[in-house]
Amino acid sequence: MTTEVTTRATGFWYDDGSRIDAVDVLNALRRYRTAESASQRRARESLGIGENAMAALRVLVDADAAGRTVNAKQLAERLGITAASTSALVDRLVRTGHVERHPDPTDRRGVILSASGPAMRRALLVIDDLESGPLRVADRLSAEDAAVIVGFLDEMTAMVDAVDSGSRA
């Protein structure tokens, strides 16, 4: 007598090996995306900020870590939003203590943005929590497995981008 196993994901019958197929991979990817989205939402809610504000904080934190400065125009370009939206976003982040404006040392009319203050320290802890766990998991991958996963995700990204742009890859 053989033992047949079904997976919740597909409804197909498998042998004892319960092999993983493409549908299982896509379902795992969907579960991860759902969990990550929920985690991002909880983080934004705990900080009392929206999606663009969280993205702006990441830009500023990354720039600071790399020793770069960011002005409002650069922030707008990175976020893909208008100058007016950026101005309103920066105003909100300054009011909540997440961001400070500083004179640009290379342009006397310019303003540099920086992540700062007690509110920003809290945001850094939340951002670190969001990134450190996944990094620990990814660090356990062998170089070969990491290369396969990166290749797969890059190919999936290209496929989704092609569908979004209206062309089929």
Side-chain angles (χ1 to χ4, degrees):
M1 177 175 154
T2 63
T3 305
E4 293 184 325
V5 178
T6 62
T7 65
R8 293 183 316 254
T10 66
F12 294 107
W13 292 96
Y14 293 103
D15 60 14
D16 281 353
S18 292
R19 73 177 185 79
I20 295 175
D21 70 3
V23 174
D24 296 316
V25 170
L26 294 176
N27 282 329
L29 186 58
R30 285 184 187 103
R31 287 190 304 273
Y32 173 76
R33 284 187 358 231
T34 299
E36 183 189 34
S37 292
S39 175
Q40 293 280 341
R41 180 187 43 76
R42 288 188 305 271
R44 289 190 312 271
E45 287 172 356
S46 78
L47 295 171
I49 61 176
E51 193 170 336
N52 276 345
M54 180 65 101
L57 293 178
R58 283 182 184 269
V59 169
L60 295 176
V61 168
D62 290 347
D64 184 59
R68 292 182 286 105
T69 60
V70 177
N71 62 30
K73 180 181 179 190
Q74 293 163 326
L75 185 60
E77 289 169 358
R78 289 288 309 275
L79 298 178
I81 60 177
T82 66
S85 294
T86 303
S87 180
L89 174 63
V90 170
D91 287 345
R92 278 193 309 275
L93 289 171
V94 167
R95 269 195 315 276
T96 59
H98 289 94
V99 171
E100 290 179 351
R101 292 180 175 104
H102 304 281
D104 185 338
T106 62
D107 176 1
R108 63 187 174 109
R109 294 177 294 156
V111 174
I112 298 296
L113 304 172
S114 69
S116 61
M120 192 55 219
R121 283 192 287 281
R122 183 165 165 15
L124 286 172
L125 291 173
V126 170
I127 290 170
D128 185 56
D129 285 347
L130 287 173
E131 294 174 351
S132 62
L135 183 59
R136 282 192 306 276
V137 172
D139 262 348
R140 293 194 307 251
L141 294 170
S142 70
E144 295 80 18
D145 287 346
V148 168
I149 292 168
V150 167
F152 167 74
L153 292 173
D154 284 348
E155 201 170 329
M156 291 294 288
T157 300
M159 184 277 313
V160 169
D161 286 346
V163 169
D164 284 349
S165 68
S167 62
R168 297 277 173 174

